[in-house]
Amino acid sequence: MAMTLTSELPADAPIVGPEVTLTTLSEEVSSRVLMSRTPLWWWIGFGISVALLLVLVVQMAVLFIVGIGVWGVNIPVAWGLAIAEYVWWIALASGGTIVSALFFLTRSPWRSATNRIAESMLLSAAPCAGLMPIMHLGRPGLFYWLFPYSNVMGVWPQVRSPLWWDFICLLCYILMSIMYYYAGILPDLATVRDLASTRAKKIFYGILALGWRGSVAEWQNQRIVYAIMSAIMAPMVISVHSVVGLDFAAGLTPGWHDTQFPPYFFFGAVISGTALIVMLTILVRWGYSLQDLLTEYHFNAMAKVMLVGSLMLAYAYVWEAFGPLYTSDVAERTEFFHRAFGFTAPLFWSEKILTVVVPQLLWFPAVRRNQLLLLLISGGVIIGMWQERVVFTTASLEHNYMPSYWGYYFPTLWDWATLAGTIGLFLTLFFLFLRFAPIISLAEVREIIEEEKSK
Amino acid sequence: MTKLFGVAAEFASPDAVRTAAEDLRQSGFRAFEAYTPYPVEGLDRIIHPGPKPLLPLLMFAAAVLGAAWGYWIQYWGEALNYPINVGGRPYNSWPAFMVGTFEFMLLVTIAAGFVGMLAASGLPRLYHPIFEAKAFERASRDRFVLCLEAADPLFDATAVRSRFERLGAERIDEVRA
């Protein structure tokens, strides 16, 4: 063990490669946006993503024509894969905000090169989350009735319902994330504009950059607003995911009616969101050969965040078991035994292994250094979190208070099509971000380079 | 003859541009601006030493207004316009309104900050004379540009040029207005 412990990265390990300078940084990253020939891997990835997106289109058409009976949801299990995946996607999106906002506030230097990937991921995942409840509405065309606008019907949404809180949280979250993203990317768009060689690209990025000049006054305003925005986004993301937890906690169903749900959900967001960022960062780094910008330092830091997430989640799991075992509530206990040893047991135990046991490997520096292992561990965490969301959504409904009311949930082909389709939507959006926006935060990495130089 | 907007000089390092800006400030110049690829430490105190923009205050005011708006929307819908009695709960059930109030507050704050940031910087402004300067080309990448504007009462193109040369500028341009 001693060997692995001493091979820990030194505290002053380089954050970016020593050969990266201000000049090469801007040209490297901008050339990924401005290149005239898109690399083959991008076309292959984008093609697969669009194919999956078409699955979503077909699935939604069938769903809207036939009704949500095409899914496996029925009474007693009226919430199935779609709602579980809603929670799953919003957790993945939240991870982007956590890395971007929370670690901006703590001035973590590793955050600068990864935050754009995290934010692109967030903006790609949030629409997937938003689609789920809308698809789940019996009459999806009327979803706008949830907006608090003064309509001629004189009917208002029931704002005392946690489901409305959820809607308003997600809506505000997406809008705020777009503004947060844009405030951060504005200076980088100006760099791309100044490097563009063709007229069309100059005009396109010129308009997007809004005429940013990088004057002292502009930087002053941007920095102060961006800092306050980060300070707002951090509690915001905690509130969004906590309110998703409240949807369940406010229900009286055994297994859901638990005060730990808001933090429990947030812990899940920390680990699964970071896991997705690790995966995407490894792939982007490999695809765009950004080895100098995304170094061991970044993966080391992100793996540690993932490890902390898994420990927090382990705490939530212990409580998830302790509550039902300690309580005198028979239904609560029966439901837990069903969850852990009944129909959902395989999912339940494999999820614990994937999200808590396997990530313990990250204690070893050698594992944190190994990209392939990181990729596998984070992939496992994402799958494990999906299982976790499915288990708590369906297991509780399967074993409600009355034994006469018990039942089982089996996903249908269309349930799986929903999952595949939203993955397609996510990947399509992410590939577009990858191709058309600078994927590394230039302005912030420049500061890191200058700091490294003076070190 | 077209009027001059100013004289722009390109510097290679953040220290050089800081020294140059300090020199201009001490020689009594007022209308000058620096264009840098990232916020250079200390430059803002030299170039804009006056009071800082009131953006944090604006965002705070927006937060208060947003919270009031969010609460009012819910109160009006639930207690005034369309009261529904659900299990005898109060119409104005403020604990249930807190989430909506909170989210509206944050949304309005971020929106105010975003719009305020653009407005305070005079954006969007797709054209600016400084874009014509040769020296500006690399200001968004790896060079630091200082531009003394013709609006300054002490402005004199030739004197400024020699001053920039003395300060170690790598390239000096006259920027047409």
Side-chain angles (χ1 to χ4, degrees), chain B residues 29-118:
Chain B
F29 292 102
R30 288 296 170 263
F32 57 96
E33 181 62 277
Y35 304 90
T36 55
Y38 61 89
V40 173
E41 180 76 35
L43 206 53
D44 53 340
R45 284 193 292 278
I46 302 169
I47 295 184
H48 299 288
K52 297 278 172 274
L54 298 174
L55 286 170
L57 207 61
L58 170 82
M59 289 178 87
F60 178 72
V64 175
L65 280 176
W69 178 48
Y71 195 92
W72 168 249
I73 272 191
Q74 299 180 71
Y75 176 73
W76 194 75
E78 299 302 305
L80 297 181
N81 188 36
Y82 196 75
I84 313 172
N85 190 334
V86 184
R89 291 187 183 85
Y91 291 124
N92 180 24
S93 43
W94 67 266
F97 296 169
M98 278 305 112
V99 173
T101 307
F102 182 68
E103 301 302 331
F104 272 101
M105 174 178 88
L106 300 187
L107 177 66
V108 174
T109 314
I110 291 246
F114 185 72
V115 175
M117 174 188 90
L118 294 182

Side-chain angles (χ1 to χ4, degrees), chain B residues 148-168:
Chain B
L148 183 63
E149 287 157 24
D152 198 288
L154 301 175
F155 182 82
D156 170 15
T158 42
V160 170
R161 186 177 269 275
S162 61
R163 179 184 285 270
F164 276 146
E165 266 164 18
R166 188 164 47 74
L167 288 165

Side-chain angles (χ1 to χ4, degrees), chain A residues 271-272 274-280 282 306 371-384:
Chain A
I271 182 170
S272 61
T274 322
L276 187 56
I277 296 172
V278 170
M279 277 187 96
L280 293 173
I282 292 175
M306 209 154 81
Q371 306 262 313
L372 185 67
L373 278 178
L374 274 184
L375 198 67
L376 290 175
I377 292 175
S378 30
V381 163
I382 292 169
I383 294 169

Side-chain angles (χ1 to χ4, degrees), chain A residues 440-452:
Chain A
I440 301 285
S441 178
L442 297 171
E444 288 180 35
V445 176
R446 282 182 194 126
E447 282 182 88
I448 300 274
I449 294 174
E450 289 299 297
E451 270 166 39
E452 295 265 294

